[in-house]
Amino acid sequence: RVTLLFQEKSSDRMPEAFQRLGFRKIKLLKHAKMVKITDETDVFVYQIGVMDSSLGVKNNGYSLFNLNDCEPNRKDYKTISKKFGGKIDILLNQFSLAGNNGSRKDMPKIGEKARNILNNMIRDHINLNVKTSIPFASFIYFSSITNEYINQHHNTIADVKEIFAKHSLNVKALY
């Protein structure tokens, strides 16, 4: 009954794993190619870098883009924006640290890294001509003795709201 959507890669390893898990209908999406999945809904996957991919959805005139922790460049912004006709209604985005190598010697850089994530959210919002951003990825708490010190640099929803207000941009938080 369920059709699983996944990005087309050079290996069949993941689709084969999905089949072993019981998924029979698997649709592989080519990079940056808009695919109609219903009369009202189109989707596309957009690969950024080697490891990251994002997902775009257009439905009945509305658009949503899940950027998560991808870091697009100018060319990416232009290509993604074109897919949406120059305007995105909702952007889902990472708002804080999601990991670190656990080395305390990197501690001075961690605060800067967290601030850069907030600045990237603003850059993404502006460059993709977004109506509303939603911070949704990064609700994480580091609990290992080797990485718990990272929590002191974690961005909060309040931090996101503050920087968006400073730039007069629209942000909504899901609670």
Side-chain angles (χ1 to χ4, degrees):
R1 269 183 358 203
V2 173
T3 300
L4 189 138
L5 304 176
F6 190 74
Q7 63 185 335
E8 185 175 272
K9 302 289 270 176
S10 59
S11 165
D12 290 331
R13 185 176 55 140
M14 291 307 298
E16 289 169 0
F18 296 142
Q19 287 175 337
R20 286 192 303 274
L21 290 170
F23 290 97
R24 297 292 163 244
K25 292 169 49 179
I26 301 167
K27 183 165 188 68
L28 299 178
L29 304 175
K30 293 182 185 298
H31 169 70
K33 183 174 189 265
M34 194 68 75
V35 176
K36 183 171 281 306
I37 59 172
T38 72
D39 289 339
E40 301 87 21
T41 307
D42 299 313
V43 299
F44 73 97
V45 67
Y46 191 86
Q47 182 94 19
I48 296 178
V50 178
M51 296 291 291
D52 288 326
S53 61
S54 52
L55 179 69
V57 180
K58 290 171 49 174
N59 181 268
N60 283 331
Y62 292 98
S63 57
L64 178 139
F65 192 61
N66 178 352
L67 191 58
N68 192 6
D69 63 349
C70 295
E71 295 182 15
N73 60 33
R74 279 194 192 123
K75 181 181 176 228
D76 295 326
Y77 285 132
K78 188 175 179 178
T79 302
I80 293 163
S81 187
K82 192 180 286 188
K83 294 283 181 192
F84 287 111
K87 180 181 150 288
I88 295 174
D89 294 305
I90 302 289
L91 176 66
L92 304 175
N93 213 338
Q94 174 182 352
F95 70 93
S96 193
L97 302 163
N100 192 54
N101 66 9
S103 173
R104 288 186 186 270
K105 70 178 175 150
D106 293 335
M107 198 164 165
K109 296 178 186 174
I110 295 172
E112 179 182 340
K113 187 176 177 183
R115 284 186 300 281
N116 285 341
I117 291 170
L118 293 174
N119 291 329
N120 288 347
M121 288 184 75
I122 297 300
R123 185 190 71 208
D124 296 339
H125 188 103
I126 292 168
N127 286 319
L128 291 171
N129 193 24
V130 173
K131 182 177 177 183
T132 303
S133 282
I134 297 177
F136 87 110
S138 305
F139 290 99
I140 190 169
Y141 181 78
F142 297 95
S143 58
S144 167
I145 194 165
T146 61
N147 64 14
E148 65 185 353
Y149 65 92
I150 299 170
N151 293 321
Q152 65 187 306
H153 300 288
H154 187 78
N155 295 328
T156 65
I157 294 297
D159 296 330
V160 174
K161 290 179 84 169
E162 181 181 320
I163 195 167
F164 271 73
K166 180 179 171 186
H167 289 86
S168 302
L169 299 173
N170 193 30
V171 65
K172 299 289 183 194
L174 303 176
Y175 288 98

